[in-house]
Amino acid sequence: MDALNAMLTDMLGPAGPLIAVAGLAFLLILASIPLMLSSKPDPMDKLKQSGREKLDAETKAILRDKRKNAKLNKYAQYLEPKSAEELGQMRLKLLQAGYRTRDAVRLYYLAQMVLGLGLLAVGTVYYFTFVDSADSTMQQKLMYILGPGAVGYMAPKYWITKRVEERKVQIESGFPDALDMMLVCVEAGQSLDQSIVRVAKELRASYPALADEFQIISHEMKAGKDKSQVLGDMGDRCGVQDVSSFVTVLNQAASFGTSIADALRVYADEMRDKRVMRAEEAANKLPTKMTLTTMMLTVPPLLIILVGPSVVSISQLGNLAAN
């Protein structure tokens, strides 16, 4: 082992053993991919597939869409969290980001794995092709080799977090208008289900994320799902406190038999006041945010204008005294 370490150190530098271990791990991963792809199909899947052929044309089309993701089922143990709690949290986060497909969790972890390993390989090739030299330090090696892999692994998480924040802001901005529109529909004689369908249609152009949530509610109600459970699922998917409070108000109105129009009127007034308060808060934060920018852009020119002539006069007097 000492001789092997010495040989690797002479060939690849001080990080030779580390590079050799990383290369061996990468080769093992590449060698395992053909074995995974050549695995035999499950006999139960064959039975299910033969049974599906007896369904009508519409159902067959839906099942064909699901069979496209059958390849991911082979690697589910690698593309899903081991604990049910972590899986539920990841699925909820993807729902809040707007990704509602059946394989969203698997595709998320697949993107992390592919981007991480791909950029790790790109960074390794780039380092040994253009950067590697006798003067390279361990910090440079880690930065060029492991840095791209870490960026690729964290990129999907950053994207999902950004999408969640954008959707929350969009839902908070459009929710007061949605409540006003729903109140008008209810007072005009429409039921709550019909008003939700109308609000989803009208909000599509301005707030598509909120319109999608209302459309999901309408479809689930038409499918016969319990209304309180449907509204509770909407509050979880949105992840916004205003929506959760709205769900609580509607459930309480249904439980106590009070008028939904009265509950909507009171809550819509509160949401309008809350939107005005958010706008005032953002306006009050603006002077504080502009202070640093104002100082950077105003103080240097002002100092030049005020102190510049004095500096020139002092320099001229110094030159006369020296002469």
Side-chain angles (χ1 to χ4, degrees):
M1 293 298 296
D2 294 337
L4 181 60
N5 288 334
M7 182 181 66
L8 292 175
T9 303
D10 295 337
M11 293 175 59
L12 303 176
L18 179 62
I19 296 174
V21 171
L24 181 61
F26 185 70
L27 291 176
L28 290 176
I29 293 174
L30 292 179
S32 64
I33 292 177
L35 297 177
M36 296 170 64
L37 294 176
S38 61
S39 59
K40 295 182 179 180
D42 191 355
M44 294 300 297
D45 293 338
K46 292 183 178 180
L47 291 176
K48 292 178 181 179
Q49 184 176 0
S50 61
R52 289 169 182 169
E53 295 177 356
K54 300 179 181 180
L55 300 174
D56 57 343
E58 182 179 359
T59 308
K60 285 182 180 180
I62 299 175
L63 293 176
R64 278 199 296 271
D65 292 338
K66 291 184 178 180
R67 284 201 296 269
K68 291 180 181 179
N69 299 324
K71 295 181 179 179
L72 294 177
N73 294 329
K74 300 179 181 178
Y75 318 114
Q77 56 181 343
Y78 305 106
L79 301 177
E80 287 183 356
K82 299 301 180 183
S83 64
E85 181 180 0
E86 186 179 356
L87 177 61
Q89 291 177 355
M90 193 67 243
R91 184 171 296 163
L92 177 60
K93 191 171 184 179
L94 290 174
L95 285 174
Q96 292 177 354
Y99 299 105
R100 308 182 184 89
T101 58
R102 184 171 59 94
D103 295 312
V105 178
R106 297 177 183 177
L107 292 174
Y108 170 78
Y109 285 102
L110 177 64
Q112 278 192 326
M113 184 182 68
V114 171
L115 289 176
L117 294 178
L119 292 182
L120 179 65
V122 171
T124 303
V125 172
Y126 178 81
Y127 173 78
F128 286 108
T129 305
F130 300 103
V131 182
D132 189 18
S133 63
D135 299 332
S136 299
T137 62
M138 178 61 68
Q139 184 178 1
Q140 290 178 337
K141 293 177 181 179
L142 294 177
M143 182 180 66
Y144 282 103
I145 295 176
L146 299 181
V151 171
Y153 182 80
M154 296 301 295
K157 184 176 181 180
Y158 171 77
W159 173 257
I160 294 299
T161 304
K162 185 178 178 181
R163 284 270 302 177
V164 170
E165 295 300 325
E166 289 178 353
R167 291 187 82 251
K168 285 183 178 180
V169 171
Q170 186 179 140
I171 290 173
E172 286 182 351
S173 301
F175 196 62
D177 296 335
L179 288 180
D180 291 337
M181 194 178 302
M182 190 179 300
L183 176 61
V184 172
C185 294
V186 171
E187 289 182 342
Q190 291 184 343
S191 64
L192 181 62
D193 300 352
Q194 293 173 339
S195 64
I196 288 174
V197 174
R198 183 61 182 268
V199 169
K201 181 179 178 181
E202 297 295 333
L203 288 179
R204 176 66 57 186
S206 302
Y207 306 102
L210 188 58
D212 290 338
E213 296 298 334
F214 280 116
Q215 189 173 12
I216 291 173
I217 287 179
S218 64
H219 291 331
E220 290 181 346
M221 287 182 177
K222 290 178 182 179
K225 196 173 180 179
D226 184 62
K227 186 178 296 185
S228 61
Q229 184 179 357
V230 170
L231 295 174
D233 293 341
M234 177 189 178
D236 294 335
R237 287 194 307 269
C238 293
V240 179
Q241 183 62 37
D242 296 342
V243 179
S244 301
S245 301
F246 166 72
V247 170
T248 304
V249 169
L250 288 185
N251 288 334
Q252 289 179 350
S255 299
F256 296 111
T258 57
S259 174
I260 295 179
D262 295 338
L264 285 175
R265 186 181 299 105
V266 174
Y267 197 73
D269 292 338
E270 292 181 359
M271 287 298 100
R272 282 195 298 270
D273 295 339
K274 195 171 183 179
R275 180 166 60 180
V276 173
M277 292 174 62
R278 281 198 296 262
E280 292 177 351
E281 182 182 359
N284 292 330
K285 289 180 180 179
L286 188 59
T288 305
K289 295 180 179 179
M290 291 294 294
T291 300
L292 183 59
T293 305
T294 303
M295 292 177 61
M296 293 176 60
L297 299 179
T298 305
V299 174
L302 185 61
L303 290 176
I304 294 174
I305 294 172
L306 296 177
V307 183
S310 301
V311 173
V312 173
S313 299
I314 292 172
S315 62
Q316 290 176 354
L317 290 176
N319 293 331
L320 292 176
N323 294 330

